[in-house]
Amino acid sequence: MFGIISGIVGAVGAIVAAAGSVVKSLAIVGLAVDGLKKIGGVLMNLAKAFGLIKPQIQVDELGDKALQSGYDPEQYDNYTEYVKAVEEFDDLDAEKSKLIPEEDKIKKGMELATGVMLEKYKDFPMDKFCVEIGNRPDFFTEGTLEEVGKLVATDENYISDILGYLDGTEKDDNRLDKIVGTLSDVFKAGNPGISDDDAIEAVFKARK
């Protein structure tokens, strides 16, 4: 399922397919709208933390804009240009919006947020990273994701490091200790007032 964009990254159609696969892979089946929006908000906040989505837009609004605009991502040179065009779409019809199921808006917004991250970080396993992050909305709060964004800005390899911890593929004890320490610091910075012990416990619970 994953690795769709391997070898052909940059093709907008491949980004669209990969983003759709990520959304389908998240634990969203049977979720009520509130739960779906919570997971969608995590992906949006991650994209915002990376500076790829405007801070003021919400996941359902972005999806609504994408659906109403009718823009075809494959008509753009890259996916980032497509997302920017959708963000700037300012002709939303309130009546049409009422007819679009909230679930559809959220899923579409998730797709755009994911796609722009896949394109930006094409040399890293962003598809798997997004799934692992999205499935842990209680750990990856908005504040925590802001700190993750700062971390990745200093070294993009943190994407692979964090993923290896979350999905259980990292087995080296020394590397695990470092990642636990890093994630604990990130969680504390994003959730002021939490104790060291609670932060460590949250990090341990986040690992598969």
Side-chain angles (χ1 to χ4, degrees):
M1 180 184 302
F2 294 115
I4 290 175
I5 57 178
S6 176
I8 51 173
V9 173
V12 176
I15 296 292
V16 172
S21 291
V22 168
V23 173
K24 289 178 183 177
S25 297
L26 285 160
I28 57 178
V29 177
L31 278 184
V33 169
D34 286 349
L36 181 61
K37 194 168 186 177
K38 188 174 183 179
I39 293 176
V42 170
L43 292 183
M44 280 291 287
N45 286 331
L46 181 60
K48 290 176 183 179
F50 289 151
L52 301 175
I53 297 287
K54 291 181 179 180
Q56 65 272 22
I57 197 165
Q58 301 303 310
V59 64
D60 52 346
E61 181 187 358
L62 184 65
D64 197 4
K65 284 173 173 276
L67 292 168
Q68 287 205 42
S69 69
Y71 295 158
D72 181 354
E74 296 196 53
Q75 297 300 310
Y76 294 82
D77 289 338
N78 55 64
Y79 200 82
T80 300
E81 287 187 5
Y82 162 66
V83 172
K84 287 182 178 178
V86 170
E87 286 182 314
E88 293 169 2
F89 178 73
D90 60 1
D91 195 25
L92 278 179
D93 185 318
E95 294 305 312
K96 286 184 180 179
S97 185
K98 292 177 184 178
L99 298 175
I100 302 173
E102 191 72 5
E103 179 180 348
D104 291 351
K105 297 177 192 174
I106 296 169
K107 287 182 178 178
K108 192 65 176 180
M110 292 167 67
E111 181 184 305
L112 268 69
T114 301
V116 77
M117 289 188 284
L118 290 172
E119 184 172 72
K120 169 69 174 178
Y121 298 103
K122 56 184 177 292
D123 296 326
F124 297 89
M126 278 303 299
D127 47 7
K128 297 177 183 178
F129 186 75
C130 287
V131 170
E132 298 297 338
I133 296 288
N135 280 330
R136 294 166 174 78
D138 293 330
F139 182 81
F140 289 103
T141 62
E142 183 175 355
T144 301
L145 289 171
E146 287 179 5
E147 298 302 319
V148 169
K150 295 176 186 176
L151 199 64
V152 172
T154 65
D155 186 349
E156 294 178 359
N157 286 304
Y158 276 114
I159 292 171
S160 298
D161 290 344
I162 294 172
L163 173 61
Y165 176 78
L166 295 176
D167 68 7
T169 57
E170 179 59 68
K171 304 298 184 183
D172 183 271
D173 288 341
N174 290 329
R175 290 182 60 81
L176 286 172
D177 285 345
K178 290 180 180 179
I179 298 171
V180 167
T182 297
L183 283 176
S184 178
D185 290 343
V186 163
F187 191 71
K188 283 185 63 181
N191 300 273
I194 194 170
S195 70
D196 290 347
D197 288 344
D198 286 344
I200 289 291
E201 183 179 357
V203 172
F204 285 155
K205 285 182 177 178
R207 182 173 167 86
K208 278 187 176 179

